[in-house]
Amino acid sequence: MTPAASTPIESQVDTHVAHAVLAGLTSEPKRLPPWLFYDEAGSRLFDEITELPEYYLTRTERAILARHADEMIARAAEEASRPVQLRIAELGAGSAEKTRILLRAAVAQQGDVLYEPVDVSATALLVAQARIEREIPAVRVRPLAMDYTNGFAFEPTGPGERRLVLYIGSSIGNFEPREAAHLLAKVRAQLRPGDGMLLGVDLVKDEQTLLAAYDDAAGTTAAFNKNMLTRLNRDLCANFDPDAFTHRAVWNPERSRMEMHLESRMAQCVRFAALDFEAEFEVGETIHTESSYKYQPGEAEDLLARAGFAPSASWTDEQGWFMVCLGQVD
Ligand code: AVI
């Protein structure tokens, strides 16, 4: 049932969440946006996922950064006529765990560095700031707590400075291709000649490896997926029974993406008391909660080029599972 157009959304309800749920659960097929995963419990579960044996993404990207960080930083700062000082910004920085590899490389090359992490979670930023300033005192952290998907503005760089924007961790893969292009174009619009962007993307690989990464044996990804329902129970006074849904991970070769769904185990009706809204589910009906696009070699460079960056270098691992690309503003 769709609520009448005049149904008021109670003022204490997060309207961003409410609108996402109303739009997603009245569409056909049903869907919910992946940003709903990341409440406190969901962020903790995601951190656990990054340590799972099946979730190759984090450790593979970390190994690429560890091996090539010096070259990445040197390339980003390359300038024939005069020395430049890099500022490093990061979108969706979270705990900035892998970023420290790049910050250490920048400190080794230029003595100190200004780091500008952007994240929707002020708590995650504070934790990351304290840890980085303790572990690498030559890094000054200037955090920016905001939802970067809704636009953002960097402080202009000074003379002799360049900005390198990091967007690592395959986060770009959670956007639809058009949204991804739009986001990179918005970043590009904030940058000046000489600035750069370092983009981390996951590459297409055998289906078995992909399926295991999104449906691990310990059930952590299933718990992460179902936590979205628990979050909606709390935020919108809903009455989901998470056990009445099954976690499904599916490889979609036509769209080159891993998909996560929640499949209803029975015919059921879920009530959202805060919205005066009910969603009916048939047995086997699914909610699409996430797409994780996987790229072919060369596609990340194309994505950067379409956003107005000149792709200048890329690095991958021995198995060709993950790729980090540098694009620069001419
Ligand atoms: C955050 N993002 C890059 C992860 C991914 O792989 O798409 C989120 C995730 N979903 C399931 N496992 C991890």
Side-chain angles (χ1 to χ4, degrees):
M1 181 194 91
T2 313
S6 60
T7 302
I9 289 173
E10 289 176 18
S11 54
Q12 68 272 33
V13 165
D14 182 330
T15 51
H16 195 33
V17 174
H19 285 120
V21 167
L22 289 172
L25 296 187
T26 53
S27 67
E28 194 58 52
K30 291 183 173 62
R31 57 184 161 77
L32 288 169
W35 55 263
L36 284 172
F37 287 134
Y38 301 97
D39 65 352
E40 217 182 299
S43 301
R44 218 176 312 113
L45 284 164
F46 177 65
D47 284 345
E48 279 177 38
I49 288 174
T50 63
E51 315 233 307
L52 291 171
E54 296 95 332
Y55 196 75
Y56 60 85
L57 289 84
T58 310
R59 65 170 182 277
T60 308
E61 186 181 46
R62 189 191 297 118
I64 296 170
L65 296 178
R67 190 155 178 195
H68 301 290
D70 290 341
E71 194 191 340
M72 290 172 181
I73 296 295
R75 282 234 179 204
E78 216 165 54
E79 165 75 60
S81 52
R82 62 196 161 90
V84 293
Q85 185 79 4
L86 275 189
R87 274 187 188 209
I88 298 186
E90 181 172 14
L91 303 181
S95 63
E97 193 265 325
K98 283 168 280 160
T99 314
R100 285 173 298 151
I101 300 168
L102 290 162
L103 293 173
R104 284 204 172 89
V107 167
Q109 285 184 36
Q110 62 185 40
D112 58 22
V113 64
L114 182 62
Y115 173 51
E116 304 165 303
V118 183
D119 201 280
V120 71
S121 165
T123 318
L125 286 171
L126 282 175
V127 172
Q129 177 172 19
R131 181 165 177 197
I132 288 167
E133 289 180 343
R134 190 177 62 243
E135 289 181 5
I136 325 174
V139 177
R140 277 172 300 132
V141 183
R142 200 174 288 168
L144 213 60
M146 65 188 312
D147 176 3
Y148 63 86
T149 59
N150 287 334
F152 55 92
F154 289 126
E155 181 192 281
T157 46
E161 279 190 321
R162 270 185 185 180
R163 182 172 271 118
L164 174 66
V165 180
L166 311 180
Y167 199 36
I168 56 178
S170 177
S171 302
I172 194 75
N174 294 134
F175 291 91
E176 292 303 312
R178 276 184 47 197
E179 295 168 357
H182 188 61
L183 176 62
L184 296 188
K186 276 197 292 193
V187 176
R188 166 65 188 83
Q190 294 274 322
L191 300 182
R192 303 211 292 222
D195 291 345
M197 168 142 213
L198 201 61
L199 185 67
V201 298
D202 195 17
L203 300 180
V204 175
K205 57 188 61 60
D206 68 283
E207 184 171 351
Q208 217 184 332
T209 303
L210 289 166
L211 289 174
Y214 289 83
D215 194 6
D216 61 280
T220 311
T221 309
F224 174 71
N225 200 6
K226 289 185 183 188
N227 176 63
M228 192 186 280
L229 305 181
T230 309
R231 178 206 180 138
L232 296 181
N233 284 348
R234 188 186 59 239
D235 286 6
L236 300 177
C237 305
N239 64 350
F240 276 110
D241 171 5
D243 292 331
F245 289 82
T246 306
H247 166 68
R248 295 271 180 239
V250 179
W251 169 240
N252 180 334
E254 285 81 40
R255 311 286 294 272
S256 195
R257 68 190 194 192
M258 277 302 301
E259 296 173 0
M260 297 211 306
H261 301 265
L262 289 164
E263 182 181 310
S264 181
R265 293 160 66 99
M266 60 197 77
Q268 53 182 317
C269 173
V270 175
R271 177 157 175 76
F272 294 76
L275 303 180
D276 194 17
F277 168 68
E278 284 175 358
E280 307 264 6
F281 292 88
E282 288 171 21
V283 60
E285 189 174 356
T286 55
I287 312 173
H288 183 174
T289 51
E290 184 186 67
S291 297
S292 229
Y293 282 84
K294 309 299 171 191
Y295 297 85
Q296 296 288 352
E299 283 183 339
E301 289 91 331
D302 291 348
L303 195 61
L304 282 169
R306 280 199 305 273
F309 292 93
S312 71
S314 58
W315 298 268
T316 188
D317 54 289
E318 272 148 24
Q319 302 184 93
W321 277 9
F322 201 94
M323 185 167 273
V324 179
C325 298
L326 177 66
Q328 283 174 300
V329 180
D330 283 335

